[in-house]
Amino acid sequence: MNLNKEDRKIRGELHLPEGTGPHPVVIICHGFKGFKEWGFFPHTARSLAGSGFAAITFNFSMNGVGENPETFAELEKFARNTFSREQEDLRFLFQQLTHGALPGAESLDTQRVALLGHSRGGANSLLFALDHPDAVRGVVLWNSVSRVDFFSDELKQEIRNKGRATILNARTGQEMPIDREVLDDIELHRKRFNLLGRLPGFAKPMLILQGDEDAAVPVQAARDLQTAAPRGVLHLIHGAGHTFNAVHPFQGPTPQLNEAIEATTRFLREIFS
């Protein structure tokens, strides 16, 4: 799908269950330095489809991954990837879903839709649900950040001083650029992007899955989300790191990933019933 803005394209895949449907829909949002083909995303989508849910995986249009689904070849886009642009992507995706413009539309139940977000994708899922509560039945968070302003003070200061700074992608060895407009976007929309401040008014069910050995997102972030959300349920996964101990390239599911998928499946069955 092409947004026709800034040469932005949303590349995605639809994983359909067997049968004619219509099937409830789960839209899966990757995180920072993530992409739809990373590690556990294809496996998770296939697993959800096997449980009767239509699962959509996609790349945010400015996530840095282009035609090659495994390579960060569009770093100039990554540098300017704001939360506002990612929210535009989600709005466009939901519009296509609602208007029956997605492949396999006849098999999709647009009245039963949930969001699943990992890490930064959790913040995007929450933000979209807060802005469009009638569009979703519920939200699943996998090791989600609790605030959009998750960069270190040192990195933010360098970005402010130089207009751009880089962070290392340990997996690829690439220096990933971040431009000042990313910080400006957070500042401009500080009230709207205040997830913990807005969650007390969110009436939809929310499942918070958090690894208790996550070095990237502390357990306290999950506890803060649970405290703020009236219908938030926290499920701690023992021995799980930020990716539930799965790796890329994917080497198969771990016990922690299986637990996350099973808990997610139970939650989705409840909210879609």
Side-chain angles (χ1 to χ4, degrees), residues 149-168:
D149 188 5
F150 56 79
F151 298 119
S152 69
D153 290 339
E154 293 78 11
L155 180 65
K156 288 189 289 187
Q157 189 60 49
E158 184 178 359
I159 294 172
R160 293 289 185 198
N161 290 342
K162 299 179 180 178
R164 169 178 286 194
T166 63
I167 58 171
L168 177 67

Side-chain angles (χ1 to χ4, degrees), residues 190-228:
R190 186 163 295 278
K191 184 175 180 180
R192 178 187 166 213
F193 290 174
N194 182 2
L195 300 175
L196 295 177
R198 295 182 63 190
L199 267 176
F202 186 58
K204 296 298 177 72
M206 190 169 86
L207 176 63
I208 306 159
L209 292 172
Q210 177 67 41
D212 67 358
E213 294 183 6
D214 187 346
V217 176
V219 172
Q220 188 58 46
R223 298 194 190 280
D224 291 343
L225 289 165
Q226 179 195 27
T227 299

Side-chain angles (χ1 to χ4, degrees), residues 117-167:
H118 174 250
S119 194
R120 173 178 172 141
N124 268 306
S125 298
L126 268 186
L127 181 56
F128 184 87
L130 286 164
D131 285 347
H132 308 86
D134 294 337
V136 299
R137 289 281 187 94
V139 178
V140 183
L141 305 180
W142 282 17
N143 291 330
S144 174
V145 297
S146 60
R147 57 189 180 90
V148 302
D149 188 5
F150 56 79
F151 298 119
S152 69
D153 290 339
E154 293 78 11
L155 180 65
K156 288 189 289 187
Q157 189 60 49
E158 184 178 359
I159 294 172
R160 293 289 185 198
N161 290 342
K162 299 179 180 178
R164 169 178 286 194
T166 63
I167 58 171

